[in-house]
Amino acid sequence: MNRHEVIIIGGGVTGCSIAYHLAARGMRDVAVLERAYLTSGATGRCGAGFRHQWGTKTNCLLAKYAIAQLERLAEELDYPGGVEIKQGGYLILAYTPRMEEQFKKNLALQKSLGIDARWVTPQEAREIVPFLNTKGLLGATFCAKDGHANPFKVTDAYARAARRLGVKIHTYTEVQDIKIEGSLKTVITNRGAFQAPVVVNAAGGHAAEIGRMVGVDLPVVPERHQILVTEPVEPTLGPMVMSFYHNLYCQQTPHGSFIMGLGDPNEPKEYNVRSSWQFLSQMAQKVVWLLPVLKNVRVVRQWAGVYDMSPDRQPVLGEVPEVPGFYVAAGFSGHGFMIAPMTGQLMAEIILGLPTTLPVDMFSLSRFTTGELFVEPSVV
Amino acid sequence: MDDKTIVCRCEDVTLEEVREAIAGGARTLDEIKRLKRCGMGPCQGRTCRPLIAGEIARLTGQDQANLALPTFRPPAIPLKLGTLARGGAKNEQA
């Protein structure tokens, strides 16, 4: 029997960040259980972007603190080669008067929190992205400090730093059941049983299944999102271009390839990571319209991953009151990677009973019972 | 093959880098692909996949035939976004 103080279920960026932040605060008897390899779930399939431009104070601050950590992550975690940070900004396009109004409200909020984002006219947008099709564009918001980080390397950096501090990471170890006796939880896997008084559910799209093992109903459902990557070309596109109107995003990574994705509002809520030719066709049509120069760039590969969607598209963070010692960090709804440094820090603080760096009450599971949903106006 | 041999020609990954990943605990093609980019280029691993599998098998004492292969992802060959953008409308009529 493997006995630990804390067991974290899920070897994505969230699980590894929590493990590191626990160990860095002295809690070193931690095991991470991952069903396949690290980043095999949503982390390794995500769009690799981070942004400050949110529409609520909570998310703006969460992003600001998390990005500050990403900027110095390689140094802090002693990760040679870095985590491929590129801060070319996010250009978020507005096509309707309602979007313009909301974006300007967001900007005022961001400014009040010390986030340097601004409104740009279509002409100014073309100075940032010279080949942008500005047809129908009312303007955009731009924050130069938004950008890209490599999710594989960020996760690897956390995992290595955690291991150095004594954390045990078990890959290809799939959780099959959880038994609770008193305060002790026994996590049964295909590679034997693990015991700890504290279990953290960081299982992303599988979080609801893990919840059911301890009788907790988590309103987190998997939703497929598709994405593609092109061949690498010379640096052409500075910022991530994002359009809520077209439901798309596109950015060029430091490696030179373009990563782009498209949301489909009719996507069924199920665990599906297969890709479709319909996506390839729709993505190509929309992106070639918006950024015509990309028509000559070749698609190398397409794939899919799942968002772990919660009813208000905001994560659930904290302990489940009915099951003391069972914690949840899931439901990130498509923005888990970019805030993972802060998720790790806040979860470590919650688990260790320390004061939290930022307020976390709005992320409690009980909001879905009381109806106090956390509404963020600025999500894809 | 020596350390400087390039095993992934698309992404310029040397055998040394592959060995480094295995020394760091990687046991599968999927893990090495994600850390080193081998197999992520235009040929999608057609050249490097068996070479790296052989190296994993040799260094970790596994049977190469039992190693899990990374998912083969579409498209089979690189296609221009412009070509794909035109193709969609045609297919919809069919």
Side-chain angles (χ1 to χ4, degrees), chain A residues 37 39 152-153 156 172 255 260 275 280-281 284-285 288 294-303, chain B residues 11 24 28 30-31 34-35 37 39-42 44 73-75 78-82 84-85 88-89:
Chain A
Y37 49 89
T39 73
F152 305 118
K153 296 202 167 173
D156 191 45
Y172 299 97
H255 165 262
M260 57 192 83
S275 44
L280 203 54
S281 162
Q285 283 174 37
V288 167
L294 292 187
K295 69 178 190 288
N296 292 317
V297 181
R298 289 173 183 83
V299 178
V300 167
R301 180 169 62 254
Q302 64 173 129
W303 69 94
Chain B
E11 299 289 337
T28 57
D30 268 318
E31 289 166 286
R34 280 156 184 80
L35 290 171
R37 293 200 59 88
M40 285 189 177
Q44 295 245 55
R73 301 195 192 278
L79 292 172
K80 283 184 180 178
L81 278 164
L84 289 163

mmCIF file of all heavy atoms in Angstrom, chain A residues 37 39 152-153 156 172 255 260 275 280-281 284-285 288 294-303, chain B residues 11 24 28 30-31 34-35 37 39-42 44 73-75 78-82 84-85 88-89:
data_model
loop_
_atom_site.group_PDB
_atom_site.id
_atom_site.type_symbol
_atom_site.label_atom_id
_atom_site.label_comp_id
_atom_site.label_asym_id
_atom_site.label_seq_id
_atom_site.Cartn_x
_atom_site.Cartn_y
_atom_site.Cartn_z
ATOM 1 N N TYR A 37 0.052 9.614 -19.899
ATOM 2 C CA TYR A 37 1.295 10.346 -19.638
ATOM 3 C C TYR A 37 0.931 11.776 -19.261
ATOM 4 O O TYR A 37 -0.205 12.221 -19.507
ATOM 5 C CB TYR A 37 2.215 10.329 -20.871
ATOM 6 C CG TYR A 37 1.492 10.715 -22.146
ATOM 7 C CD1 TYR A 37 1.420 12.041 -22.538
ATOM 8 C CD2 TYR A 37 0.851 9.759 -22.923
ATOM 9 C CE1 TYR A 37 0.734 12.413 -23.677
ATOM 10 C CE2 TYR A 37 0.150 10.113 -24.067
ATOM 11 C CZ TYR A 37 0.104 11.446 -24.439
ATOM 12 O OH TYR A 37 -0.591 11.819 -25.548
ATOM 13 N N THR A 39 0.210 15.545 -19.402
ATOM 14 C CA THR A 39 -0.356 16.401 -20.472
ATOM 15 C C THR A 39 -1.192 15.631 -21.492
ATOM 16 O O THR A 39 -1.543 16.172 -22.526
ATOM 17 C CB THR A 39 0.692 17.224 -21.282
ATOM 18 O OG1 THR A 39 1.419 16.343 -22.154
ATOM 19 C CG2 THR A 39 1.644 17.979 -20.398
ATOM 20 N N PHE A 152 3.312 21.709 -22.770
ATOM 21 C CA PHE A 152 4.091 20.514 -22.419
ATOM 22 C C PHE A 152 5.240 20.905 -21.493
ATOM 23 O O PHE A 152 5.534 20.240 -20.507
ATOM 24 C CB PHE A 152 4.684 19.855 -23.674
ATOM 25 C CG PHE A 152 3.658 19.514 -24.705
ATOM 26 C CD1 PHE A 152 3.700 20.092 -25.972
ATOM 27 C CD2 PHE A 152 2.658 18.604 -24.431
ATOM 28 C CE1 PHE A 152 2.762 19.772 -26.932
ATOM 29 C CE2 PHE A 152 1.712 18.278 -25.384
ATOM 30 C CZ PHE A 152 1.764 18.864 -26.635
ATOM 31 N N LYS A 153 5.893 22.011 -21.843
ATOM 32 C CA LYS A 153 7.066 22.416 -21.070
ATOM 33 C C LYS A 153 6.688 23.012 -19.724
ATOM 34 O O LYS A 153 7.383 22.801 -18.737
ATOM 35 C CB LYS A 153 7.916 23.383 -21.900
ATOM 36 C CG LYS A 153 8.442 22.669 -23.130
ATOM 37 C CD LYS A 153 9.651 23.295 -23.733
ATOM 38 C CE LYS A 153 10.250 22.303 -24.737
ATOM 39 N NZ LYS A 153 11.341 22.894 -25.509
ATOM 40 N N ASP A 156 5.929 20.005 -17.652
ATOM 41 C CA ASP A 156 7.178 19.291 -17.372
ATOM 42 C C ASP A 156 8.004 20.046 -16.325
ATOM 43 O O ASP A 156 8.603 19.431 -15.431
ATOM 44 C CB ASP A 156 7.965 19.133 -18.686
ATOM 45 C CG ASP A 156 9.135 18.172 -18.550
ATOM 46 O OD1 ASP A 156 8.946 17.091 -17.956
ATOM 47 O OD2 ASP A 156 10.236 18.501 -19.039
ATOM 48 N N TYR A 172 0.545 6.360 -16.289
ATOM 49 C CA TYR A 172 -0.119 5.114 -16.691
ATOM 50 C C TYR A 172 -0.749 4.422 -15.484
ATOM 51 O O TYR A 172 -0.722 3.199 -15.351
ATOM 52 C CB TYR A 172 0.857 4.198 -17.453
ATOM 53 C CG TYR A 172 1.343 4.874 -18.718
ATOM 54 C CD1 TYR A 172 2.560 5.560 -18.757
ATOM 55 C CD2 TYR A 172 0.539 4.893 -19.868
ATOM 56 C CE1 TYR A 172 2.964 6.237 -19.896
ATOM 57 C CE2 TYR A 172 0.947 5.563 -21.013
ATOM 58 C CZ TYR A 172 2.160 6.232 -21.019
ATOM 59 O OH TYR A 172 2.563 6.900 -22.138
ATOM 60 N N HIS A 255 7.739 28.720 -32.338
ATOM 61 C CA HIS A 255 8.280 27.711 -33.243
ATOM 62 C C HIS A 255 8.023 28.071 -34.708
ATOM 63 O O HIS A 255 8.718 27.597 -35.610
ATOM 64 C CB HIS A 255 7.626 26.372 -32.870
ATOM 65 C CG HIS A 255 7.762 25.279 -33.872
ATOM 66 N ND1 HIS A 255 6.759 24.973 -34.780
ATOM 67 C CD2 HIS A 255 8.762 24.416 -34.122
ATOM 68 C CE1 HIS A 255 7.161 23.960 -35.523
ATOM 69 N NE2 HIS A 255 8.356 23.598 -35.155
ATOM 70 N N MET A 260 -4.635 27.127 -34.482
ATOM 71 C CA MET A 260 -5.938 27.795 -34.538
ATOM 72 C C MET A 260 -7.059 26.832 -34.177
ATOM 73 O O MET A 260 -6.961 25.625 -34.388
ATOM 74 C CB MET A 260 -6.167 28.389 -35.929
ATOM 75 C CG MET A 260 -6.093 27.406 -37.054
ATOM 76 S SD MET A 260 -6.038 28.227 -38.681
ATOM 77 C CE MET A 260 -4.289 28.618 -38.821
ATOM 78 N N SER A 275 -11.050 13.912 -34.313
ATOM 79 C CA SER A 275 -11.175 15.126 -35.107
ATOM 80 C C SER A 275 -12.057 14.875 -36.322
ATOM 81 O O SER A 275 -12.247 13.736 -36.742
ATOM 82 C CB SER A 275 -9.796 15.633 -35.516
ATOM 83 O OG SER A 275 -8.985 14.584 -35.958
ATOM 84 N N LEU A 280 -11.956 20.966 -40.259
ATOM 85 C CA LEU A 280 -10.850 21.382 -41.112
ATOM 86 C C LEU A 280 -11.352 22.364 -42.165
ATOM 87 O O LEU A 280 -10.755 23.407 -42.427
ATOM 88 C CB LEU A 280 -10.268 20.130 -41.773
ATOM 89 C CG LEU A 280 -8.838 20.159 -42.283
ATOM 90 C CD1 LEU A 280 -7.890 20.597 -41.198
ATOM 91 C CD2 LEU A 280 -8.448 18.784 -42.808
ATOM 92 N N SER A 281 -12.475 22.031 -42.755
ATOM 93 C CA SER A 281 -13.045 22.848 -43.809
ATOM 94 C C SER A 281 -13.548 24.200 -43.269
ATOM 95 O O SER A 281 -13.234 25.264 -43.811
ATOM 96 C CB SER A 281 -14.176 22.032 -44.460
ATOM 97 O OG SER A 281 -15.012 22.860 -45.169
ATOM 98 N N ALA A 284 -10.628 26.446 -42.053
ATOM 99 C CA ALA A 284 -9.883 26.998 -43.176
ATOM 100 C C ALA A 284 -10.661 28.160 -43.801
ATOM 101 O O ALA A 284 -10.088 29.225 -44.077
ATOM 102 C CB ALA A 284 -9.623 25.903 -44.212
ATOM 103 N N GLN A 285 -11.960 27.986 -43.996
ATOM 104 C CA GLN A 285 -12.761 29.054 -44.612
ATOM 105 C C GLN A 285 -12.734 30.325 -43.763
ATOM 106 O O GLN A 285 -12.531 31.424 -44.272
ATOM 107 C CB GLN A 285 -14.213 28.595 -44.781
ATOM 108 C CG GLN A 285 -14.390 27.656 -45.961
ATOM 109 C CD GLN A 285 -15.806 27.097 -46.021
ATOM 110 O OE1 GLN A 285 -16.767 27.785 -45.720
ATOM 111 N NE2 GLN A 285 -15.926 25.845 -46.405
ATOM 112 N N VAL A 288 -9.037 31.925 -43.476
ATOM 113 C CA VAL A 288 -8.566 32.499 -44.750
ATOM 114 C C VAL A 288 -9.315 33.800 -45.047
ATOM 115 O O VAL A 288 -8.773 34.740 -45.621
ATOM 116 C CB VAL A 288 -8.694 31.474 -45.902
ATOM 117 C CG1 VAL A 288 -8.525 32.139 -47.256
ATOM 118 C CG2 VAL A 288 -7.668 30.357 -45.734
ATOM 119 N N LEU A 294 -2.811 33.554 -44.877
ATOM 120 C CA LEU A 294 -2.625 32.172 -44.420
ATOM 121 C C LEU A 294 -3.050 31.135 -45.455
ATOM 122 O O LEU A 294 -2.840 29.944 -45.258
ATOM 123 C CB LEU A 294 -3.377 31.936 -43.099
ATOM 124 C CG LEU A 294 -2.845 32.677 -41.877
ATOM 125 C CD1 LEU A 294 -3.560 32.221 -40.616
ATOM 126 C CD2 LEU A 294 -1.352 32.460 -41.716
ATOM 127 N N LYS A 295 -3.637 31.587 -46.569
ATOM 128 C CA LYS A 295 -4.126 30.604 -47.548
ATOM 129 C C LYS A 295 -3.006 29.742 -48.125
ATOM 130 O O LYS A 295 -3.231 28.631 -48.579
ATOM 131 C CB LYS A 295 -4.915 31.298 -48.666
ATOM 132 C CG LYS A 295 -4.120 32.173 -49.608
ATOM 133 C CD LYS A 295 -5.061 32.743 -50.677
ATOM 134 C CE LYS A 295 -4.308 33.428 -51.796
ATOM 135 N NZ LYS A 295 -3.728 34.733 -51.354
ATOM 136 N N ASN A 296 -1.779 30.275 -48.077
ATOM 137 C CA ASN A 296 -0.656 29.525 -48.636
ATOM 138 C C ASN A 296 0.115 28.704 -47.608
ATOM 139 O O ASN A 296 1.126 28.098 -47.925
ATOM 140 C CB ASN A 296 0.313 30.486 -49.342
ATOM 141 C CG ASN A 296 -0.313 31.072 -50.594
ATOM 142 O OD1 ASN A 296 -0.957 30.346 -51.349
ATOM 143 N ND2 ASN A 296 -0.170 32.368 -50.781
ATOM 144 N N VAL A 297 -0.373 28.708 -46.378
ATOM 145 C CA VAL A 297 0.305 27.943 -45.332
ATOM 146 C C VAL A 297 -0.360 26.572 -45.214
ATOM 147 O O VAL A 297 -1.581 26.453 -45.287
ATOM 148 C CB VAL A 297 0.243 28.706 -43.983
ATOM 149 C CG1 VAL A 297 0.962 27.928 -42.895
ATOM 150 C CG2 VAL A 297 0.866 30.092 -44.135
ATOM 151 N N ARG A 298 0.462 25.554 -45.067
ATOM 152 C CA ARG A 298 -0.070 24.181 -45.064
ATOM 153 C C ARG A 298 -0.424 23.692 -43.656
ATOM 154 O O ARG A 298 0.346 23.890 -42.709
ATOM 155 C CB ARG A 298 0.945 23.219 -45.671
ATOM 156 C CG ARG A 298 1.114 23.373 -47.162
ATOM 157 C CD ARG A 298 2.252 22.506 -47.672
ATOM 158 N NE ARG A 298 2.453 22.718 -49.100
ATOM 159 C CZ ARG A 298 3.166 23.735 -49.606
ATOM 160 N NH1 ARG A 298 3.737 24.612 -48.807
ATOM 161 N NH2 ARG A 298 3.287 23.876 -50.915
ATOM 162 N N VAL A 299 -1.546 23.001 -43.566
ATOM 163 C CA VAL A 299 -1.958 22.348 -42.319
ATOM 164 C C VAL A 299 -1.171 21.046 -42.192
ATOM 165 O O VAL A 299 -1.147 20.245 -43.123
ATOM 166 C CB VAL A 299 -3.465 22.010 -42.342
ATOM 167 C CG1 VAL A 299 -3.876 21.276 -41.065
ATOM 168 C CG2 VAL A 299 -4.282 23.268 -42.538
ATOM 169 N N VAL A 300 -0.545 20.854 -41.049
ATOM 170 C CA VAL A 300 0.220 19.633 -40.838
ATOM 171 C C VAL A 300 -0.603 18.591 -40.066
ATOM 172 O O VAL A 300 -0.527 17.397 -40.327
ATOM 173 C CB VAL A 300 1.530 19.946 -40.069
ATOM 174 C CG1 VAL A 300 2.195 18.680 -39.568
ATOM 175 C CG2 VAL A 300 2.487 20.718 -40.962
ATOM 176 N N ARG A 301 -1.418 19.093 -39.137
ATOM 177 C CA ARG A 301 -2.059 18.126 -38.236
ATOM 178 C C ARG A 301 -3.262 18.763 -37.574
ATOM 179 O O ARG A 301 -3.277 19.957 -37.312
ATOM 180 C CB ARG A 301 -1.023 17.726 -37.168
ATOM 181 C CG ARG A 301 -1.429 16.747 -36.129
ATOM 182 C CD ARG A 301 -0.218 16.264 -35.315
ATOM 183 N NE ARG A 301 0.429 17.343 -34.584
ATOM 184 C CZ ARG A 301 1.576 17.896 -34.904
ATOM 185 N NH1 ARG A 301 2.260 17.456 -35.928
ATOM 186 N NH2 ARG A 301 2.075 18.891 -34.206
ATOM 187 N N GLN A 302 -4.282 17.975 -37.332
ATOM 188 C CA GLN A 302 -5.429 18.444 -36.561
ATOM 189 C C GLN A 302 -5.689 17.457 -35.428
ATOM 190 O O GLN A 302 -5.366 16.275 -35.531
ATOM 191 C CB GLN A 302 -6.677 18.592 -37.444
ATOM 192 C CG GLN A 302 -7.178 17.288 -38.020
ATOM 193 C CD GLN A 302 -8.514 17.413 -38.748
ATOM 194 O OE1 GLN A 302 -8.651 16.971 -39.871
ATOM 195 N NE2 GLN A 302 -9.514 17.985 -38.086
ATOM 196 N N TRP A 303 -6.260 17.963 -34.345
ATOM 197 C CA TRP A 303 -6.580 17.094 -33.222
ATOM 198 C C TRP A 303 -7.725 17.713 -32.438
ATOM 199 O O TRP A 303 -8.247 18.763 -32.817
ATOM 200 C CB TRP A 303 -5.359 16.853 -32.335
ATOM 201 C CG TRP A 303 -4.873 18.028 -31.565
ATOM 202 C CD1 TRP A 303 -5.209 18.355 -30.283
ATOM 203 C CD2 TRP A 303 -3.946 19.044 -32.011
ATOM 204 N NE1 TRP A 303 -4.554 19.510 -29.912
ATOM 205 C CE2 TRP A 303 -3.776 19.942 -30.942
ATOM 206 C CE3 TRP A 303 -3.255 19.258 -33.196
ATOM 207 C CZ2 TRP A 303 -2.940 21.064 -31.031
ATOM 208 C CZ3 TRP A 303 -2.426 20.370 -33.283
ATOM 209 C CH2 TRP A 303 -2.267 21.249 -32.215
ATOM 210 N N GLU B 11 12.025 18.314 -37.534
ATOM 211 C CA GLU B 11 12.181 19.204 -36.391
ATOM 212 C C GLU B 11 13.611 19.233 -35.871
ATOM 213 O O GLU B 11 13.867 19.769 -34.782
ATOM 214 C CB GLU B 11 11.222 18.783 -35.267
ATOM 215 C CG GLU B 11 9.742 18.853 -35.648
ATOM 216 C CD GLU B 11 9.232 20.294 -35.788
ATOM 217 O OE1 GLU B 11 9.839 21.202 -35.198
ATOM 218 O OE2 GLU B 11 8.234 20.491 -36.489
ATOM 219 N N GLY B 24 15.352 11.138 -18.668
ATOM 220 C CA GLY B 24 14.485 11.922 -17.783
ATOM 221 C C GLY B 24 13.217 11.191 -17.388
ATOM 222 O O GLY B 24 12.368 11.741 -16.694
ATOM 223 N N THR B 28 7.605 6.348 -23.512
ATOM 224 C CA THR B 28 6.753 6.129 -24.682
ATOM 225 C C THR B 28 7.043 7.164 -25.766
ATOM 226 O O THR B 28 7.579 8.237 -25.504
ATOM 227 C CB THR B 28 5.257 6.260 -24.296
ATOM 228 O OG1 THR B 28 5.049 7.553 -23.727
ATOM 229 C CG2 THR B 28 4.835 5.206 -23.295
ATOM 230 N N ASP B 30 4.854 8.862 -27.307
ATOM 231 C CA ASP B 30 4.005 10.028 -27.058
ATOM 232 C C ASP B 30 4.696 11.060 -26.165
ATOM 233 O O ASP B 30 4.633 12.259 -26.412
ATOM 234 C CB ASP B 30 2.697 9.595 -26.382
ATOM 235 C CG ASP B 30 1.602 9.310 -27.405
ATOM 236 O OD1 ASP B 30 1.484 10.096 -28.358
ATOM 237 O OD2 ASP B 30 0.883 8.306 -27.249
ATOM 238 N N GLU B 31 5.348 10.576 -25.112
ATOM 239 C CA GLU B 31 6.006 11.507 -24.187
ATOM 240 C C GLU B 31 7.163 12.229 -24.866
ATOM 241 O O GLU B 31 7.327 13.444 -24.723
ATOM 242 C CB GLU B 31 6.526 10.739 -22.956
ATOM 243 C CG GLU B 31 5.422 10.266 -22.035
ATOM 244 C CD GLU B 31 5.919 9.231 -21.029
ATOM 245 O OE1 GLU B 31 6.164 8.069 -21.425
ATOM 246 O OE2 GLU B 31 6.066 9.579 -19.853
ATOM 247 N N ARG B 34 6.057 14.961 -27.343
ATOM 248 C CA ARG B 34 5.567 16.204 -26.747
ATOM 249 C C ARG B 34 6.675 17.058 -26.132
ATOM 250 O O ARG B 34 6.552 18.281 -26.082
ATOM 251 C CB ARG B 34 4.466 15.893 -25.737
ATOM 252 C CG ARG B 34 3.150 15.641 -26.450
ATOM 253 C CD ARG B 34 2.179 14.800 -25.665
ATOM 254 N NE ARG B 34 0.989 14.521 -26.466
ATOM 255 C CZ ARG B 34 0.913 13.592 -27.401
ATOM 256 N NH1 ARG B 34 1.961 12.849 -27.694
ATOM 257 N NH2 ARG B 34 -0.202 13.417 -28.085
ATOM 258 N N LEU B 35 7.721 16.410 -25.675
ATOM 259 C CA LEU B 35 8.807 17.186 -25.071
ATOM 260 C C LEU B 35 9.814 17.674 -26.101
ATOM 261 O O LEU B 35 10.408 18.734 -25.948
ATOM 262 C CB LEU B 35 9.523 16.348 -24.011
ATOM 263 C CG LEU B 35 8.699 16.079 -22.753
ATOM 264 C CD1 LEU B 35 9.401 15.070 -21.853
ATOM 265 C CD2 LEU B 35 8.447 17.380 -21.986
ATOM 266 N N ARG B 37 9.320 17.448 -29.784
ATOM 267 C CA ARG B 37 8.709 17.778 -31.077
ATOM 268 C C ARG B 37 8.961 16.750 -32.179
ATOM 269 O O ARG B 37 8.485 16.934 -33.300
ATOM 270 C CB ARG B 37 9.150 19.163 -31.595
ATOM 271 C CG ARG B 37 8.669 20.348 -30.792
ATOM 272 C CD ARG B 37 8.724 21.618 -31.628
ATOM 273 N NE ARG B 37 7.886 21.487 -32.819
ATOM 274 C CZ ARG B 37 6.590 21.794 -32.850
ATOM 275 N NH1 ARG B 37 6.007 22.279 -31.791
ATOM 276 N NH2 ARG B 37 5.891 21.619 -33.954
ATOM 277 N N GLY B 39 8.329 14.041 -34.647
ATOM 278 C CA GLY B 39 7.058 13.480 -35.102
ATOM 279 C C GLY B 39 5.977 14.534 -35.254
ATOM 280 O O GLY B 39 4.854 14.238 -35.652
ATOM 281 N N MET B 40 6.283 15.808 -34.940
ATOM 282 C CA MET B 40 5.281 16.872 -35.067
ATOM 283 C C MET B 40 5.434 17.651 -36.378
ATOM 284 O O MET B 40 4.678 18.579 -36.630
ATOM 285 C CB MET B 40 5.390 17.855 -33.903
ATOM 286 C CG MET B 40 4.832 17.330 -32.598
ATOM 287 S SD MET B 40 4.776 18.669 -31.391
ATOM 288 C CE MET B 40 4.008 17.859 -29.999
ATOM 289 N N GLY B 41 6.422 17.307 -37.179
ATOM 290 C CA GLY B 41 6.668 18.065 -38.405
ATOM 291 C C GLY B 41 5.819 17.595 -39.569
ATOM 292 O O GLY B 41 4.921 16.775 -39.396
ATOM 293 N N PRO B 42 6.105 18.117 -40.758
ATOM 294 C CA PRO B 42 5.292 17.804 -41.930
ATOM 295 C C PRO B 42 5.180 16.307 -42.260
ATOM 296 O O PRO B 42 4.171 15.871 -42.799
ATOM 297 C CB PRO B 42 6.007 18.545 -43.065
ATOM 298 C CG PRO B 42 6.755 19.645 -42.393
ATOM 299 C CD PRO B 42 7.131 19.133 -41.038
ATOM 300 N N GLN B 44 5.069 13.944 -40.074
ATOM 301 C CA GLN B 44 4.307 13.350 -38.973
ATOM 302 C C GLN B 44 4.919 12.076 -38.413
ATOM 303 O O GLN B 44 4.211 11.148 -38.041
ATOM 304 C CB GLN B 44 2.859 13.096 -39.418
ATOM 305 C CG GLN B 44 2.118 14.362 -39.714
ATOM 306 C CD GLN B 44 0.981 14.564 -38.738
ATOM 307 O OE1 GLN B 44 1.192 14.564 -37.535
ATOM 308 N NE2 GLN B 44 -0.218 14.717 -39.249
ATOM 309 N N ARG B 73 -2.647 11.342 -37.060
ATOM 310 C CA ARG B 73 -3.638 12.417 -37.165
ATOM 311 C C ARG B 73 -3.748 12.925 -38.595
ATOM 312 O O ARG B 73 -2.750 13.038 -39.297
ATOM 313 C CB ARG B 73 -3.242 13.574 -36.250
ATOM 314 C CG ARG B 73 -3.139 13.161 -34.778
ATOM 315 C CD ARG B 73 -3.107 14.369 -33.876
ATOM 316 N NE ARG B 73 -2.743 14.053 -32.512
ATOM 317 C CZ ARG B 73 -3.589 13.589 -31.595
ATOM 318 N NH1 ARG B 73 -4.840 13.380 -31.909
ATOM 319 N NH2 ARG B 73 -3.174 13.332 -30.370
ATOM 320 N N PRO B 74 -4.966 13.287 -39.020
ATOM 321 C CA PRO B 74 -5.149 13.868 -40.339
ATOM 322 C C PRO B 74 -4.622 15.297 -40.380
ATOM 323 O O PRO B 74 -4.496 15.909 -39.320
ATOM 324 C CB PRO B 74 -6.671 13.844 -40.538
ATOM 325 C CG PRO B 74 -7.259 13.709 -39.177
ATOM 326 C CD PRO B 74 -6.205 13.126 -38.273
ATOM 327 N N PRO B 75 -4.348 15.874 -41.571
ATOM 328 C CA PRO B 75 -4.412 15.203 -42.879
ATOM 329 C C PRO B 75 -3.172 14.328 -43.116
ATOM 330 O O PRO B 75 -2.143 14.531 -42.483
ATOM 331 C CB PRO B 75 -4.434 16.387 -43.851
ATOM 332 C CG PRO B 75 -3.746 17.505 -43.135
ATOM 333 C CD PRO B 75 -4.026 17.311 -41.680
ATOM 334 N N PRO B 78 0.519 17.345 -45.790
ATOM 335 C CA PRO B 78 0.217 18.766 -45.533
ATOM 336 C C PRO B 78 -0.620 19.374 -46.659
ATOM 337 O O PRO B 78 -0.343 19.139 -47.838
ATOM 338 C CB PRO B 78 1.606 19.409 -45.463
ATOM 339 C CG PRO B 78 2.525 18.302 -45.070
ATOM 340 C CD PRO B 78 1.964 17.084 -45.746
ATOM 341 N N LEU B 79 -1.664 20.109 -46.281
ATOM 342 C CA LEU B 79 -2.565 20.724 -47.263
ATOM 343 C C LEU B 79 -2.669 22.219 -46.973
ATOM 344 O O LEU B 79 -2.758 22.621 -45.818
ATOM 345 C CB LEU B 79 -3.971 20.116 -47.148
ATOM 346 C CG LEU B 79 -4.126 18.660 -47.573
ATOM 347 C CD1 LEU B 79 -5.521 18.166 -47.202
ATOM 348 C CD2 LEU B 79 -3.892 18.508 -49.074
ATOM 349 N N LYS B 80 -2.690 23.014 -48.062
ATOM 350 C CA LYS B 80 -2.804 24.461 -47.872
ATOM 351 C C LYS B 80 -4.179 24.834 -47.324
ATOM 352 O O LYS B 80 -5.201 24.268 -47.745
ATOM 353 C CB LYS B 80 -2.592 25.183 -49.209
ATOM 354 C CG LYS B 80 -1.134 25.254 -49.608
ATOM 355 C CD LYS B 80 -0.969 26.063 -50.885
ATOM 356 C CE LYS B 80 0.496 26.120 -51.271
ATOM 357 N NZ LYS B 80 0.707 26.844 -52.529
ATOM 358 N N LEU B 81 -4.202 25.819 -46.407
ATOM 359 C CA LEU B 81 -5.482 26.299 -45.867
ATOM 360 C C LEU B 81 -6.377 26.795 -46.992
ATOM 361 O O LEU B 81 -7.591 26.600 -46.956
ATOM 362 C CB LEU B 81 -5.223 27.425 -44.849
ATOM 363 C CG LEU B 81 -4.835 26.959 -43.443
ATOM 364 C CD1 LEU B 81 -4.230 28.110 -42.653
ATOM 365 C CD2 LEU B 81 -6.028 26.369 -42.704
ATOM 366 N N GLY B 82 -5.772 27.435 -48.030
ATOM 367 C CA GLY B 82 -6.553 27.928 -49.160
ATOM 368 C C GLY B 82 -7.259 26.805 -49.901
ATOM 369 O O GLY B 82 -8.414 26.931 -50.316
ATOM 370 N N LEU B 84 -8.087 23.866 -48.614
ATOM 371 C CA LEU B 84 -9.135 23.338 -47.734
ATOM 372 C C LEU B 84 -10.331 24.280 -47.701
ATOM 373 O O LEU B 84 -11.482 23.836 -47.663
ATOM 374 C CB LEU B 84 -8.581 23.165 -46.318
ATOM 375 C CG LEU B 84 -7.567 22.030 -46.149
ATOM 376 C CD1 LEU B 84 -6.777 22.204 -44.864
ATOM 377 C CD2 LEU B 84 -8.284 20.686 -46.153
ATOM 378 N N ALA B 85 -10.080 25.587 -47.733
ATOM 379 C CA ALA B 85 -11.172 26.565 -47.676
ATOM 380 C C ALA B 85 -12.056 26.438 -48.923
ATOM 381 O O ALA B 85 -13.272 26.571 -48.833
ATOM 382 C CB ALA B 85 -10.606 27.976 -47.568
ATOM 383 N N GLY B 88 -14.416 22.859 -48.985
ATOM 384 C CA GLY B 88 -15.595 22.696 -48.144
ATOM 385 C C GLY B 88 -16.887 22.946 -48.874
ATOM 386 O O GLY B 88 -17.813 22.137 -48.822
ATOM 387 N N ALA B 89 -16.930 24.053 -49.637
ATOM 388 C CA ALA B 89 -18.161 24.434 -50.315
ATOM 389 C C ALA B 89 -18.582 23.356 -51.312
ATOM 390 O O ALA B 89 -19.755 23.032 -51.427
ATOM 391 C CB ALA B 89 -17.950 25.771 -51.034
#
